[in-house]
Structures are given as C-alpha cells and as structure tokens.
Amino acid sequence: MEEEANLNQFGSKRKMPLGFLFKDASLIFKRDELGLEILHIALPTALALMADPIASLIDTAFIGHIGPVELAAVGVSIAVFNQVSKITIFPLVSVTTSLVAEEDTVSRVNNVTESHNLEESHPKNNEMQNLIPKPDSGKVAPTRTGGNPKIENLEFAKRNIPSASSALVIGGLLGLFQAIFLIIMAKPLLRFMGIKADSPMLTPAIQYLTLRSLGAPAILLSLAMQGIFRGFKDTKTPLYATVVGDVTNIILDSIFIVTFHWGVSGAAIAHVFSQYLISIVLLWTLRKKINLLPPSIADLQFGRFLKSGSLLLARVIAATFCVTLAASLAARLGPIPMAAFQISLQIWLASSLLADGLAVAGQAILASAFAEKDHEKATATAVRVLQHSLVLGLVLAFVLGVGLQFGSKLFTKDIHVLHLISISIPFVAATQPINSLAFVFDGVNFGASDFSYSAYSMVLVAVVSIVCLVIFFYTHGFIGIWIALTIYMSLRMFAGFWRIGSGSGPWQFLRS
C-alpha cells in the first residue's frame, strides 16, 4: 500500500518524464516543513551569491566611467579570471557540500544513537535528576539531555568532519597554484582571448588580471568554507561574511578609483582586499564549529574528492570553455562589442545566480535525504525546488526585459555600447527561465551524487554548443553569440530534465 501511495504521489515511469515538474504544483508556495527548510537555505545563499556579481557590476560601473577601452579590458580579464577560477572552484564547492552534508547527517544520527544508549545506561541518574528540586535563581537551567555531561559533550564539542578538513587543505593549495598560474600566464591568456599586442586593451587588462590573481588563495579557501557551511545547511554565515567583504570592496572602489585615481589597478586591489576579509571572517567562525584539521593525515578524504572532483572538473572545463569562447569571440569584434557583451554577460550571470540559491538548497537537502535513504523526501524536494526555479525565471525575465531598457545607462554612456546592449536584452531576459531550471537541475543531480552523468552530459552539451558558437558567430556576429548561448543553456536544461524525468541513475526508485 505504501509503494502504491508513492506511485500515486510521484507518478509512474510513463508519466514521470512529462508530468513530474508540475506534480503537486498547488503546494509550491506552501510554508510547510520542507518549504521553510528550502527557504532558510536558499534565500541567504541567493543573497550571498548575488553579492559578488553585484560588487563586480559596481566595479564595472566605476570602470565604465573611466572609458570604454578600460571597461573592455577589465571585461576580458574578469572573463579569464572567472573561467580559470570555475575550473577549480566549482568541483571543490559542489563536492564539499555533498560530502559534508552526508557526513554531518551520519554523524548526527550516530550521536543521537549514542546519546540514547548513554541515557539507557544511566536510568537511575536520569530519574534522580528529575526528583532533585531546581532552584529558580542563581543556577543554570537543566539541559535537554538531563544533565548528563557525556551526552552534553556529544552535542556541544567541536566535531571532526574529514571532508571539511580535506576541503580546506585542497582549497588553500589550489588557490596558491591558481595565483601563480594566472600571474605567469596573464599575457598569453589575454592574447588567446583576442587582445592583440598593439591593442590599447592589453596594458590595463594585464594590470587588472595580475593584481586580482593575488586574491586567488583567499577566494578558493573562502569558497571551500562556503561549501562546508552549505553542507551544514548554514547559509547565513557565508552571507554575512560576503556582505562584509563586498561592502568593503565598494567603499575601497570609491577611494582607490575616484579619490586616488588608480584606475583598473585600484579596482583589482579593492577586490583582493575584500576577498581576504571574507576568508578571515569565515575561518574564524568555522573554527568554533569543527576541528579545522583532523587528528591525523590518514583521516583526510583526498580520494573521494579526487574521484568526484575529477568528474566535475571535466564538466566545468566543458561548461566554462563555452562562456570563455563566447567572450573571446566578442573581444575579436573590438572594444565596443566586448564592452557591451561584458555588461550584458555580467547581468545575465548575476540574475541567473539567484537560482543557485535554490540549487544549493536542493543539493544540501537531497544529500541528507539520500544518506538517510528517504526517497519520498528526495522526490518532494526535487519537485519543489524545480517549481520554484521556474517561477523565479519567469519573474526575472519580466524584470530584466523591462528594467534593462533604462538600467543599462548606469554602466556606460557610450551610445554605441548602449545600442549593442539593447540588441542583447531580449536574449538576456528570455533565457532566464531556461537558466534557472538548468542551474537547479544541476543542484538536484549533485545532491544525488550523480557526478558521472553531470560530467558526461555536459561534455556532450559543450561539443554541440561550441559548434553552434563558431557557426553563428561567423554568420550573425554579435547576435550570433547570444543565439549560441541560448542554445547552450537550453541543452543544459534538457540534460538535467532527462536524468530525473526518465527515472534513471540514482532516480531509479521513481520507477518502482
């Protein structure tokens, strides 16, 4: 009877591919336990993810008033830095979130079992605790463990989470390697992006990229810690740290760029300083929750990170190559098209990142549900976050379609740049529902630890998208780039839909 009820609730194998996204649609905004859990994780995550792109947009606004050449140069540098960073950041954060969520769930279950065993082994002590009179003042209130110090230690002692310690070590090392790589390879990478030796963009681009690379260790370490906090389902702490850092970035932008006239170098220095501040705040908070380093090196879980991380590394290389190629093609059109593409791309990515909050919520809850083998909650969570993402995408499409008609003037006053931005607005706005669903499907599959499918499907999507980019660029120019990016995100969305919709891989239980 229970299996029959589950089939009626979530659909059979034949109905699932077409109908699961709209299952129980009337519950989409219900403030039940699941809805509140998603909200408490997704909202702070979305705000934290939005904070950095907003800071980048403010950087872009400051630099845009210096001149279109500097704006285009910084646009290329940011594209290089972001794409290289994503190759290391995305696998690290995604794997960390899933592994920490699984370990934390298992740890809590074990702690509850051990606490229960301790209580049963001291029944008389617990009975005596209830018989002893409790004075009303001058004493600490009895704990919910009945005053048993062994049980209290289980609840309040700092925990050893091997995957969290592993993430910190890996994040720090990857950050150092990334900084060294970007500083040494700055000029060749910019040349690859289409900036020629005699281009006026070359000098400011090298200045910005070299200085900003100094913040790579802090960025990798702080994002590893954000993955840890997400695994704990604590997304408020990363939000607070990110807001502190990005507000500092904005203040320093006004000082270094406007007051000191340091130009693109001032923007880079402000960003680096803010990233180290974020890292310090997160590290100080995390040390109160867990032991940062395990008792021995043998406890580190480098093997699990390498296995899952290598799959996601292939995935993120394929994904970032598409966006990097798009930026490179825009740069080949000249400073004006590149400046317009940079502004449009930043808005496109910043708005789409709102859906990442739902993706993180889905991933964290699903990782815990799969660890507990709670298939009913796993399915309900996947359906709910996907429905939320569709609504979010439709709202963003309307807001950007209307708002960008007027808001683009905040970033530049160059009429040629504004004209090209107006051409890209329909693509930026119309793709929001597609982007939102694609990102949340990623989170759903990561929560199920379905890293293999995520990697292989993205490689296939990238191959098709790269071919489209080249063809449409040479046939339609600037507009062709946006057509190809729309195809790219549509294929990503379909790949995510197919996995859960067909009830394959970790979702096979939907067919039973």
Side-chain angles (χ1 to χ4, degrees), residues 108 194 223 309 435 483:
R108 291 182 182 277
L223 286 170
N435 295 358
I483 294 174

Side-chain angles (χ1 to χ4, degrees), residues 76-241:
V76 177
S77 297
I78 290 176
V80 171
F81 186 89
N82 286 346
Q83 303 317 313
V84 172
S85 296
K86 284 181 181 179
I87 292 175
T88 50
I89 288 172
F90 190 81
L92 177 62
V93 176
S94 298
V95 174
T96 299
T97 299
S98 292
L99 294 186
V100 170
E102 291 174 8
E103 284 189 24
D104 186 49
T105 300
V106 173
S107 175
R108 291 182 182 277
V109 170
N110 291 339
N111 282 352
V112 169
T113 302
E114 187 174 349
S115 299
H116 179 70
N117 291 338
L118 283 172
E119 288 178 346
E120 288 184 345
S121 65
H122 296 83
K124 294 182 178 180
N125 290 346
N126 290 331
E127 292 174 4
M128 290 300 296
Q129 286 284 347
N130 295 329
L131 293 174
I132 297 175
K134 276 80 174 179
D136 293 332
S137 61
K139 300 291 183 181
V140 178
T143 67
R144 58 191 176 95
T145 62
N148 192 316
K150 292 183 179 180
I151 301 174
E152 292 173 16
N153 288 337
L154 287 173
E155 295 188 349
F156 301 110
K158 291 197 295 185
R159 290 171 291 164
N160 287 320
I161 305 292
S163 58
S165 303
S166 304
L168 293 175
V169 175
I170 295 172
L173 292 176
L174 287 177
L176 290 174
F177 291 145
Q178 181 179 316
I180 295 171
F181 172 78
L182 285 173
I183 291 172
I184 294 175
M185 297 295 293
K187 191 171 183 178
L189 288 171
L190 292 170
R191 291 287 299 275
F192 172 78
M193 291 293 290
I195 299 182
K196 300 179 180 179
D198 58 348
S199 173
M201 293 188 289
L202 183 60
T203 299
I206 290 177
Q207 290 176 353
Y208 186 88
L209 181 57
T210 303
L211 287 172
R212 184 159 176 173
S213 299
L214 298 175
I219 293 174
L220 267 295
L221 188 59
S222 65
L223 286 170
M225 287 186 283
Q226 288 190 35
I228 295 171
F229 281 108
R230 291 175 186 177
F232 292 148
K233 300 181 183 178
D234 174 10
T235 54
K236 291 183 180 179
T237 300
L239 171 62
Y240 298 149

Side-chain angles (χ1 to χ4, degrees), residues 396-447:
L396 287 173
F398 174 78
V399 171
L400 292 179
V402 176
L404 280 181
Q405 301 292 339
F406 311 98
S408 57
K409 294 181 181 179
L410 295 173
F411 303 99
T412 181
K413 295 180 180 180
D414 189 289
I415 57 173
H416 302 292
V417 176
L418 289 172
H419 172 68
L420 288 178
I421 291 176
S422 67
I423 294 176
S424 63
I425 287 176
F427 295 99
V428 173
T431 54
Q432 291 305 310
I434 298 172
N435 295 358
S436 295
L437 282 170
F439 290 144
V440 174
F441 270 121
D442 289 344
V444 168
N445 286 326
F446 296 158

